[in-house]
Amino acid sequence: MTILFKQIVLLLKKNLQTLILTSIITVVTTVTATPVFCQLKFSAIPNTTTIALDQALQIEFVLGGVEKMESFIPPRLDGFTIIQGPQYSNSLSIVNGNVSHSVGVGYVLLPQKCGKIFIGPAQAQVNGKVIKTESICISVLNKTSGNSSPGNTTHLPSISGTNTANDNELSDYVLKKGEDPIAKIQKNLVLKLGVSKKSCYEGEPIVATYKLYTRLKSSSKVTKRPSFNGFSVAEMTTPESMDFQTDQLNGRPFYSTVLRKVQLFPLHAGEITLEPVEVASLVRFLKNKEVPASTHNSFDNIFRDFFEDNILTGETEEHKLTQQTKAVTISVKPLPEADKPINFNGAVGKFTIQTVLKNSAISINETGTLKVIIQGKGNLSMINAPVIDWPEGIESFEPSSSENIDNLSVPLSGTKTFEYPFTVVEKGNYTIPAVSISYFNPEKRVYEMASTNPLTLVVNNSVANKTGNKSKDPVAKNVNLVSDENNISKSLINTRWWLVLVFIALLWGGYKWYQYRGLTKRRMSLKQKIISQEEQIPITDGVITTFNTGHPLDLARRELKKENATGFYTELHAGLWRFIQEKYQLSPADMNKKVVAEKLKADFFDEKMINDFQQLLDKCEIALYTPTQFKEERYQLLQQAETFIKTVEYKIV
């Protein structure tokens, strides 16, 4: 016991805080390791955080875990122009038999200025409870997107020269005098929605393909996406990849790209309309002008005839057009009630089933595993775990599931595996009966059944229970005595560990009390110091005089005492930059975080110091847009800034 105590004390001396934190994190993780999938989650999801000045930002506020929200309060969108929105949507997904709902509110925004624009939290109310999203920062670059815009914008390629037999190709790019530009765009820039079929059964898949065809020089971006309400969705392509290929439409050559291709599984019977995709396009035409016949020579007349009495000027003309796909309605038929099996759980397609025991022989109280593997084509993701008719004496638990599905095959193909853990309390031979699954075959329009063969499970006595009548044997009796002594020894060891844990908890409590006491003293000292220093700051008619030799944070202290939150964060931000500029004699062109990081590294400061500086600046910037921090937090931020300045000034590495 003495040796053990000395080892514990030595260990605590070496790394007390790390050991305590590790122990507490382990306990908290174990206690709180419960499913959280049912909790509400409210998130702000932008399509990108960096855009050009002429690009649109698409942002959606998604509330997961509910079918509807009682109220929604959008954030202030200062710095943006709302092009579209709010657009409300509802979605439903089924994963491993678990149904989840979500509600979304979407906006399309156009930035009004370059730089960093902060979008504050949105608020939603559900069951009387108000929840908020996190604030996000959007960086707007001081440039235009051009032809290589990131995200959802793409430059459509030219098809000039791909078919020299077509005399109309050149004229597609030229806007002639008196020609209607919108009509010309609609003829040569086409948005289509194609479906594999317009009538199907519940759970029977259809393939929907949103496609863009073009013969023009244009830039296009998706401004509205379908939500597919009433369907379970399997993506078959990367959405809006804008990978153009040569194609044909109505006998004419085009370039085409698949905006979205999905496999849809109807969740209920009835008429379900597929929502359209909306695309905004900017088209550039070449301009021409008429030239009087008197100015032509014989050589010009050849080109005049070719261009139909028009000469290209080299100038361009731009036109904008927003298009939508036509609505397509799917007629979903209910599954027939006649001959529907009792164990039918919604499987539609063609499937087989097999069962496998992880171990065909186990011991009493040992955990066994039964695997049920369903293979085939159809709505695999929507199939629930089959019901097992367990024999008496076997206790089963909730199954887990895994999938291996090929999303490109139509219908989906692959396997879905369910694993059922179980235990047995008595030895013997058990027979696990056949497991069956019924499904609807849409090709034959009938219900079919797939079954497995029964399995045999052998359960033996565990080593701990093999005692029998051996206690009468002297040798066996000695073995039992040794076993009892070992058990007593283990019990004592367990008791010692409990004492160690209690001792650690007491040390941790004492450490936190000491830490809190020291922090309180430092805060009081900081407040007194701020008050004494601010009393020396001269004021003339409410205007702060210039400080040539004062501390870089004097003005921040001044605003803190006046309880001016905006002024405090502004002056703290400016004071940090003033210190860095004077310390390293930086020119205005070098006043950026990258240069400061290089200077700090050159002074042998580590990454933590660089991160501390950047975090201080970020906190000030964010607080200017969301000034909800308490006064105590402003004191702490000022203390962190002072610590940073002292560390850099005196090179405390």
Side-chain angles (χ1 to χ4, degrees):
M1 181 66 183
T2 304
I3 297 175
L4 177 62
F5 180 76
K6 289 182 178 179
Q7 291 176 344
I8 293 172
V9 172
L10 181 61
L11 178 62
L12 293 175
K13 286 182 178 180
K14 288 183 177 180
N15 205 338
L16 173 61
Q17 187 172 358
T18 301
L19 179 60
I20 295 173
L21 287 175
T22 303
S23 302
I24 290 179
I25 290 172
T26 302
V27 174
V28 171
T29 303
T30 303
V31 172
T32 60
T34 56
V36 295
F37 56 84
C38 60
Q39 295 180 355
L40 296 178
K41 184 177 181 182
F42 196 24
S43 305
I45 306 174
N47 65 325
T48 180
T49 56
T50 303
I51 58 175
L53 192 57
D54 64 341
Q55 272 189 291
L57 171 72
Q58 298 182 19
I59 183 170
E60 187 171 13
F61 301 94
V62 179
L63 176 60
V66 296
E67 297 184 43
K68 63 179 180 179
M69 64 176 76
E70 297 171 5
S71 65
F72 172 76
I73 302 176
R76 295 185 60 179
L77 298 174
D78 298 339
F80 290 98
T81 299
I82 300 177
I83 299 176
Q84 192 176 67
Q87 291 183 326
Y88 291 84
S89 63
N90 291 277
S91 63
L92 177 146
S93 64
I94 302 176
V95 179
N96 299 333
N98 295 318
V99 180
S100 61
H101 299 267
S102 63
V103 181
V105 184
Y107 290 85
V108 179
L109 310 173
L110 190 67
Q112 299 173 346
K113 59 183 180 180
C114 60
K116 291 184 177 180
I117 303 179
F118 288 88
I119 298 178
Q123 295 184 23
Q125 184 172 349
V126 181
N127 297 327
K129 179 182 178 182
V130 176
I131 56 177
K132 299 181 181 181
T133 64
E134 296 289 338
S135 300
I136 58 174
C137 178
I138 304 299
S139 297
V140 182
L141 305 179
N142 188 17
K143 65 178 183 179
T144 57
S145 57
N147 294 335
S148 59
S149 303
N152 58 356
T153 306
T154 184
H155 179 70
L156 307 184
S158 164
I159 60 172
S160 176
T162 59
N163 186 350
T164 56
N166 189 347
D167 294 335
N168 294 324
E169 285 185 4
L170 182 61
S171 63
D172 290 336
Y173 297 93
V174 179
L175 187 63
K176 302 173 185 177
K177 185 176 180 180
E179 193 171 16
D180 185 357
I182 300 302
K184 191 162 190 172
I185 294 174
Q186 291 174 338
K187 180 182 177 182
N188 296 285
L189 188 64
V190 183
L191 193 61
K192 293 183 71 68
L193 165 60
V195 294
S196 58
K197 49 192 167 186
K198 294 185 179 181
S199 178
C200 63
Y201 285 98
E202 292 180 62
E204 182 183 1
I206 64 170
V207 177
T209 306
Y210 294 85
K211 209 169 183 180
L212 178 67
Y213 296 84
T214 183
R215 289 172 56 86
L216 304 173
K217 289 183 177 295
S218 59
S219 296
S220 298
K221 64 177 65 177
V222 176
T223 55
K224 182 180 179 181
R225 300 170 178 80
S227 60
F228 300 121
N229 292 328
F231 294 96
S232 176
V233 184
E235 297 286 350
M236 300 185 69
T237 59
T238 302
E240 304 164 30
S241 61
M242 294 297 188
D243 183 16
F244 284 85
Q245 306 292 333
T246 56
D247 205 341
Q248 282 202 348
L249 181 64
N250 300 328
R252 301 175 65 207
F254 277 83
Y255 272 94
S256 70
T257 182
V258 176
L259 299 178
R260 196 168 185 185
K261 186 176 182 181
V262 293
Q263 200 166 161
L264 304 174
F265 296 86
L267 299 174
H268 58 81
E271 301 291 324
I272 306 179
T273 300
L274 296 180
E275 294 181 357
V277 160
E278 185 178 271
V279 175
S281 300
L282 176 66
V283 181
R284 297 176 181 86
F285 289 111
L286 293 174
K287 294 177 64 176
N288 57 17
K289 66 179 181 179
E290 293 185 358
V291 179
S294 60
T295 63
H296 295 319
N297 55 33
S298 59
F299 186 75
D300 291 334
N301 289 335
I302 298 175
F303 284 90
R304 182 184 63 186
D305 294 337
F306 182 80
F307 287 112
E308 302 176 352
D309 296 326
N310 291 283
I311 299 298
L312 298 179
T313 65
E315 299 179 3
T316 61
E317 182 174 320
E318 294 183 348
H319 293 273
K320 296 179 180 180
L321 181 65
T322 299
Q323 298 169 291
Q324 284 188 344
T325 56
K326 294 182 179 179
V328 175
T329 300
I330 306 299
S331 178
V332 182
K333 297 176 289 188
L335 296 176
E337 292 295 329
D339 301 324
K340 181 183 287 187
I342 297 177
N343 66 339
F344 178 74
N345 64 1
V348 177
K350 179 69 175 178
F351 305 100
T352 61
I353 186 171
Q354 60 175 321
T355 53
V356 178
L357 280 171
K358 187 175 181 180
N359 293 308
S360 58
I362 62 174
S363 300
I364 294 176
N365 294 326
E366 180 183 351
T367 302
T369 302
L370 173 67
K371 288 186 179 181
V372 178
I373 304 169
I374 299 174
Q375 184 175 9
K377 294 184 176 182
N379 58 347
L380 275 167
S381 297
M382 301 171 64
I383 296 179
N384 296 323
V387 177
I388 310 297
D389 186 14
W390 295 99
E392 187 177 354
I394 297 181
E395 182 181 359
S396 64
F397 305 95
E398 285 295 321
S400 61
S401 65
S402 59
E403 298 176 352
N404 183 12
I405 298 176
D406 180 10
N407 281 4
L408 299 181
S409 63
V410 181
L412 299 179
S413 64
T415 60
K416 187 168 185 177
T417 302
F418 299 93
E419 294 190 1
Y420 299 76
F422 63 88
T423 59
V424 187
V425 295
E426 294 183 1
K427 71 174 183 177
N429 295 336
Y430 296 83
T431 299
I432 299 177
V435 181
S436 62
I437 178 177
S438 60
Y439 57 89
F440 179 75
N441 189 330
E443 295 180 358
K444 298 180 180 180
R445 300 182 181 180
V446 296
Y447 290 98
E448 296 180 346
M449 184 84 69
S451 300
T452 67
N453 295 322
L455 299 176
T456 300
L457 174 68
V458 179
V459 180
N460 301 312
N461 281 332
S462 63
V463 175
N465 290 333
K466 290 182 180 180
T467 56
N469 296 323
K470 291 184 179 181
S471 59
K472 297 181 180 180
D473 188 352
V475 177
K477 187 174 182 180
N478 290 335
V479 172
N480 290 335
L481 289 174
V482 173
S483 177
D484 292 341
E485 291 176 358
N486 289 335
N487 291 335
I488 294 172
S489 177
K490 290 180 180 179
S491 177
L492 289 174
I493 292 175
N494 290 336
T495 302
R496 292 173 183 174
W497 276 111
W498 275 110
L499 292 174
V500 170
L501 290 176
V502 171
F503 179 67
I504 291 175
L506 291 174
L507 285 177
W508 173 254
Y511 171 76
K512 293 302 294 182
W513 176 81
Y514 176 78
Q515 189 180 49
Y516 174 78
R517 182 182 176 187
L519 180 61
T520 303
K521 288 183 178 179
R522 288 194 297 271
R523 287 177 179 172
M524 294 301 297
S525 175
L526 176 61
K527 290 181 181 179
Q528 293 297 330
K529 182 178 179 181
I530 290 173
I531 293 172
S532 62
Q533 290 179 347
E534 288 176 348
E535 290 175 350
Q536 302 172 9
I537 298 177
I539 302 177
T540 304
D541 296 330
V543 180
I544 302 175
T545 58
T546 304
F547 291 88
N548 296 324
T549 60
H551 194 277
L553 302 182
D554 281 344
L555 295 178
R557 296 192 190 101
R558 170 78 177 189
E559 297 302 324
L560 181 61
K561 185 177 180 181
K562 292 166 59 179
E563 297 187 2
N564 181 3
T566 302
F568 168 75
Y569 290 116
T570 301
E571 294 300 341
L572 184 64
H573 187 276
L576 287 168
W577 278 116
R578 282 197 300 270
F579 167 73
I580 289 296
Q581 185 179 24
E582 294 175 2
K583 175 66 177 178
Y584 294 108
Q585 298 298 308
L586 298 180
S587 65
D590 292 331
M591 295 286 285
N592 58 73
K593 294 178 181 179
K594 183 178 179 182
V595 172
V596 173
E598 293 174 353
K599 294 293 185 181
L600 291 174
K601 286 182 180 178
D603 269 356
F604 303 101
F605 289 106
D606 57 11
E607 291 293 335
K608 181 181 180 303
M609 201 64 186
I610 298 172
N611 291 335
D612 288 346
F613 175 69
Q614 294 178 348
Q615 288 177 6
L616 284 169
L617 296 179
D618 290 342
K619 288 179 180 179
C620 291
E621 293 171 1
I622 293 175
L624 287 174
Y625 291 90
T626 56
T628 59
Q629 288 78 8
F630 297 104
K631 184 176 181 180
E632 186 67 23
E633 295 176 351
R634 294 195 286 273
Y635 275 107
Q636 293 178 4
L637 193 62
L638 178 62
Q639 187 178 23
Q640 293 172 10
E642 288 189 332
T643 301
F644 169 80
I645 290 176
K646 289 179 181 178
T647 304
V648 175
E649 181 67 26
Y650 299 105
K651 292 188 177 181
I652 306 172
V653 184

